[in-house]
Amino acid sequence: MGVTNKHVLSAKTSRRKYLISTKMRVVRISCVGTRHLSPPSSARGCDAHSDDVSASSAGLINADAEDASCSSTPSWRIKKSLTCVCFNRKRAYERICSNLTPLQEERLKRLRKRMKNYFDASRPDHQDALRALWSATYPSEKLQDLISDQWKNMGWQGKDPSTDFRGAGFISLENLLFFAKTFSTSFQRLLKKQGGKRAAWEYPFAVAGVNITFMIMQMLDLEASKPRSFIRLVFLQMLSENEWAFDLLYCVAFVVMDKQWLDKNATYMEFNDVLRSTRGQLEKELMMDDVFRIEDMPSFSLLS
């Protein structure tokens, strides 16, 4: 019996399912990362090898895309032994490389240092940061002490907020302070739980902020010695555009989380589910066409 179109289609479908289920191994590449390149006249690199490995859109590529080729319109597909990762964003040819530029290396180094900085209640600069957060949050109300029942109004678990920084460290305080100063209207709206139908048992604002910092750190996987997801490579490109990309992403994540909370009519016990769906939305937007900066993400428009 001859091979029919039905058999061919079935084989392609089975292969696609296998590719989607295959765990992606990040390829080490050596070229300098560049953006908005014009397709070269001859294929060198992207079509030089035939063995390909695919992953889901949350990982490195789109498994439904066509085969990548630098000599034509490239797709979200990566191949072994390549010198670069090429993909297509609305006819804009883009090449992202895992070898970092000097600027990316320096900014990643500083960001990693921030991520490893644990909160120390005995340090004067950390104490000052707490006072600054209080002043930015409640400008007309005087803080009585660094250990006070007043902190509970902000959504800390107890009267000593320093005990809640253990999960994400000092950077989570920096993120809250950045949010309060940069997007004060959105910060106050979420703090006061304004807008939408709210649950009787709401999420604690400040503790939720610490959890969001930790979630972003896990999603970007910046501590790993080798990149394990395409999301990380995309973010590093954004970091080269703006050193405050992590803090901006945090602000976007917070408003996305609150919107997910309202859309799901969630309660406190469902917070982890909301956080997971928030991460999924962020990953989806970071992989969207024409999203080259945090400001390009659709949910950035929720900030004010």
Side-chain angles (χ1 to χ4, degrees), residues 286-301:
L286 286 170
M287 293 298 296
M288 282 182 175
D289 294 339
D290 301 328
V291 173
F292 302 102
R293 307 173 303 153
I294 300 298
E295 295 90 331
D296 296 331
M297 297 175 66
S299 292
F300 187 85
S301 62

Side-chain angles (χ1 to χ4, degrees), residues 15 21 29 34 44 48 54-55 60 65 77 90 115-116 120 133 152 165 184 203 206 217 220 240 264 285 291 294:
R15 182 173 181 268
S21 65
I29 49 187
T34 56
R44 290 186 298 175
S54 299
L60 283 174
R77 188 173 296 274
K90 285 189 176 179
M115 291 166 57
K116 293 179 180 179
D120 185 349
L133 175 62
K152 296 179 182 179
F165 290 120
S184 58
Y203 63 85
M217 289 165 62
L220 298 179
S240 66
K264 296 176 181 295
E285 292 192 19
V291 173
I294 300 298

Side-chain angles (χ1 to χ4, degrees), residues 85-302:
V85 178
C86 304
F87 62 96
N88 183 34
R89 285 185 174 182
K90 285 189 176 179
R91 292 191 289 274
Y93 180 73
E94 181 162 354
R95 175 180 295 170
I96 288 184
C97 299
S98 64
N99 272 19
L100 303 183
T101 66
L103 178 61
Q104 288 174 322
E105 287 182 348
E106 179 60 30
R107 289 184 173 178
L108 178 58
K109 181 180 178 180
R110 287 200 290 264
L111 181 54
R112 281 174 169 170
K113 185 177 180 180
R114 290 177 62 195
M115 291 166 57
K116 293 179 180 179
N117 188 12
Y118 296 102
F119 184 86
D120 185 349
S122 66
R123 287 181 54 169
D125 56 333
H126 288 198
Q127 295 173 4
D128 290 344
L130 264 180
R131 293 189 184 95
L133 175 62
W134 179 268
S135 298
T137 306
Y138 303 107
S140 60
E141 183 178 348
K142 183 179 179 180
L143 177 65
Q144 301 301 320
D145 200 346
L146 288 178
I147 299 179
S148 169
D149 285 330
Q150 290 174 287
W151 289 107
K152 296 179 182 179
N153 297 329
M154 196 185 295
W156 300 103
Q157 295 186 78
K159 60 183 181 180
D160 184 4
S162 66
T163 60
D164 291 328
F165 290 120
R166 293 169 184 165
F170 184 65
I171 191 174
S172 58
L173 172 54
E174 291 180 313
N175 288 158
L176 279 168
L177 187 55
F178 181 90
F179 190 15
K181 290 185 173 182
T182 309
F183 302 102
S184 58
T185 300
S186 294
F187 181 89
Q188 292 293 332
R189 176 175 58 83
L190 270 58
L191 170 71
K192 299 172 182 177
K193 302 296 192 298
Q194 297 172 338
K197 183 180 179 181
R198 295 288 173 174
W201 195 5
E202 278 286 313
Y203 63 85
F205 175 78
V207 173
V210 175
N211 279 271
I212 290 172
T213 296
F214 186 71
M215 179 268 290
I216 296 175
M217 289 165 62
Q218 287 185 314
M219 179 182 74
L220 298 179
D221 195 28
L222 297 177
E223 289 291 351
S225 58
K226 297 179 181 180
R228 293 180 290 193
S229 76
F230 198 66
I231 293 294
R232 166 172 158 159
L233 298 180
V234 169
F235 174 77
L236 290 178
Q237 290 290 101
M238 294 176 171
L239 190 62
S240 66
E241 300 285 342
N242 189 337
E243 187 168 6
W244 300 103
F246 186 94
D247 302 81
L248 287 171
L249 182 59
Y250 171 86
C251 298
V252 173
F254 216 136
V255 292
V256 169
M257 186 278 294
D258 189 74
K259 185 176 185 302
Q260 295 271 349
W261 178 272
L262 293 175
D263 290 346
K264 296 176 181 295
N265 194 27
T267 63
Y268 180 79
M269 297 302 294
E270 299 170 289
F271 179 77
N272 286 336
D273 293 333
V274 172
L275 205 58
R276 279 191 290 270
S277 62
T278 299
R279 173 172 173 168
Q281 180 64 28
L282 295 176
E283 290 176 338
K284 178 181 177 181
E285 292 192 19
L286 286 170
M287 293 298 296
M288 282 182 175
D289 294 339
D290 301 328
V291 173
F292 302 102
R293 307 173 303 153
I294 300 298
E295 295 90 331
D296 296 331
M297 297 175 66
S299 292
F300 187 85
S301 62
L302 297 173

